[in-house]
Structures are given as C-alpha cells and as structure tokens.
Amino acid sequence: GESVGLHLPTLSVQEGDNSIINCAYSNSASDYFIWYKQESGKGPQFIIDIRSNMDKRQGQRVTVLLNKTVKHLSLQIAATQPGDSAVYFCAENMKTGGFKTIFGAGTRLFVKA
Amino acid sequence: DTGVSQDPRHKITKRGQNVTFRCDPISEHNRLYWYRQTLGQGPEFLTYFQNEAQLEKSRLLSDRFSAERPKGSFSTLEIQRTEQGDSAMYLCASSLGAGENEKLFFGSGTQLSVL
C-alpha cells in the first residue's frame, strides 16, 4: 500500500447517500482481498472479502468490486448511515510469502446527518 | 468485541526501558499475528505464528523486538531498549488457520508512548 502520512484521504457523504471508497493494490500475485473498517480506539473489523476469480461480491449493504486489469478495488456502501463513519482499509493476501495480510492506506469516511 | 484481547490498552514508558504486551486470541484460532499501526497509516505486518511456531517476521522487525507464543495460545511481544520511534499502536489478530485466505479478528490494540 501507499503511505499517505498523517493525512488520510477523506470522503464526506450525506446520510442516506451511497459511498464509494477506492483502493489501488500493488501485487499482481494477490489472490484474496478484504475490506476492513476501523473505528476510533478499536482494531480493524472485517467487512467483506473477495477472491481473485471474482469481480463482484455483495454483502448486506456493501458491495466489493475487483478490477484485476488495473489492480483496483472498490467498496460501495448503500444508504450510508452515521454508524458507517470510520476509516476503511483495503487489504490483500499474496499467493506467496505465507499467510500475512498487507494493508493499504485508509480512507476516512464522514457521514453527515 | 471480537474475542481477541490485548493487555495493557495503554503503556507509557521512558526511552531505553523494556516493555511487554500480551495477546489472547480467540481460543480455537491457530494463527496469531502482530501488527503495528501509526497515526494515519494502515496496520503494518510484524510477525505471525501458526500454533507455537513463528513462521514469518517482517524485515521491519529489529532485533530489539521479540515475540513468543509458547503453548500455541496467548502471545507476548517484547520491545527492548525502547526508542521514541517505537511509539505506535500494537495490534494483535488471530484467524482459524484452516485455509490460505482468511479474515483476521483484531484486538483493540496496545497504545505505546515512548517518552
């Protein structure tokens, strides 16, 4: 992942609108991708995952899209709620190098009531 | 609450002192991971265990850092001769260890401040 220092990319949305958070990953060998949500004072929490043989996966209010051609991952949150306010991280597992998960830079989501 | 607990939640120490953190993973999880997170960054991999075996360590992990998981259950991370640059959130995570690709369950972390 890329370092963004102290200034996380920020997305501000109105409550009820849809949110789209984007992520570029670096390793063509990655075969498993995960989105995590991190609230203040807590560790990251799993949201949704997708394997490299898929291009879309849907959860309850979330959808993950994978574009392997351009190494791009996105998280779509439908009908965003105040409780969705957090930092969102994309993460990848490579096919080689053991079972470690590598995190990208996060995006801070603000939901305006 | 994910079921992964870390202790202490906060640690303030003076430069040069040693510190030790503890992680209790979810009981049936075979894999345990340590990550470090600084403000505005994603978690950075440090090391992981499969049961009691430490299978991988990051090149970022200097020889001042040591981790153990003696009985394949809880783990400790020790930092010797702490430096101000060690100030960070230290996160522990666990996973079932049944497959190649698994989601991680994180604890709430130990926030270390080195003065």
Side-chain angles (χ1 to χ4, degrees):
Chain A
E2 295 179 357
S3 169
V4 292
L6 292 176
H7 302 288
L8 285 170
T10 298
L11 175 65
S12 185
V13 300
Q14 197 69 40
E15 181 180 0
D17 287 352
N18 296 336
S19 304
I20 300 176
I21 301 171
N22 296 304
C23 174
Y25 64 93
S26 54
N27 294 297
S28 301
S30 296
D31 63 351
Y32 179 62
F33 303 89
I34 318 101
W35 281 99
Y36 286 89
K37 172 186 180 183
Q38 188 173 26
E39 296 173 293
S40 181
K42 297 183 179 180
Q45 180 184 9
F46 171 88
I47 302 174
I48 191 168
D49 58 1
I50 188 168
R51 300 191 187 280
S52 59
N53 60 353
M54 303 170 68
D55 53 20
K56 180 179 180 179
R57 189 163 189 223
Q58 287 185 289
Q60 190 169 8
R61 267 192 312 118
V62 293
T63 301
V64 55
L65 299 177
L66 174 62
N67 185 332
K68 294 182 287 293
T69 303
V70 294
K71 293 190 284 188
H72 183 268
L73 201 62
S74 69
L75 176 71
Q76 300 177 1
I77 305 174
T80 314
Q81 301 169 0
D84 295 327
S85 294
V87 178
Y88 290 81
F89 292 99
C90 63
E92 57 187 305
N93 284 14
M94 294 176 59
K95 287 181 181 176
T96 57
F99 301 116
K100 61 181 181 285
T101 299
I102 305 300
F103 285 78
T107 296
R108 185 178 298 280
L109 176 66
F110 285 110
V111 181
K112 296 176 286 186
Chain B
D1 182 11
T2 62
V4 178
S5 59
Q6 293 187 245
D7 183 68
R9 287 297 308 273
H10 303 275
K11 179 70 178 179
I12 300 173
T13 192
K14 292 183 180 178
R15 190 175 49 188
Q17 297 294 305
N18 300 342
V19 294
T20 300
F21 311 140
R22 177 179 170 124
C23 171
D24 286 89
I26 295 172
S27 58
E28 62 267 27
H29 283 187
N30 294 323
R31 290 190 193 141
L32 185 148
Y33 306 77
W34 285 100
Y35 283 82
R36 177 171 61 193
Q37 186 177 28
T38 53
L39 194 63
Q41 303 283 334
E44 194 174 45
F45 171 80
L46 294 179
T47 187
Y48 91 94
F49 293 82
Q50 175 83 34
N51 299 312
E52 66 275 9
Q54 188 174 17
L55 296 186
E56 188 167 348
K57 291 195 294 185
S58 168
R59 288 172 296 170
L60 301 170
L61 209 61
S62 81
D63 55 8
R64 296 185 297 106
F65 287 69
S66 62
E68 293 183 345
R69 194 183 183 198
K71 297 181 181 179
S73 56
F74 74 91
S75 176
T76 57
L77 177 68
E78 182 184 16
I79 309 174
Q80 296 182 326
R81 306 180 303 281
T82 52
E83 302 172 355
Q84 287 184 325
D86 297 332
S87 295
M89 173 75 81
Y90 289 83
L91 291 163
C92 175
S94 68
S95 69
L96 272 171
E100 289 186 354
N101 296 314
E102 298 182 321
K103 58 187 178 186
L104 304 181
F105 293 81
F106 281 87
S108 294
T110 294
Q111 182 67 54
L112 173 67
S113 298
V114 182
L115 306 178

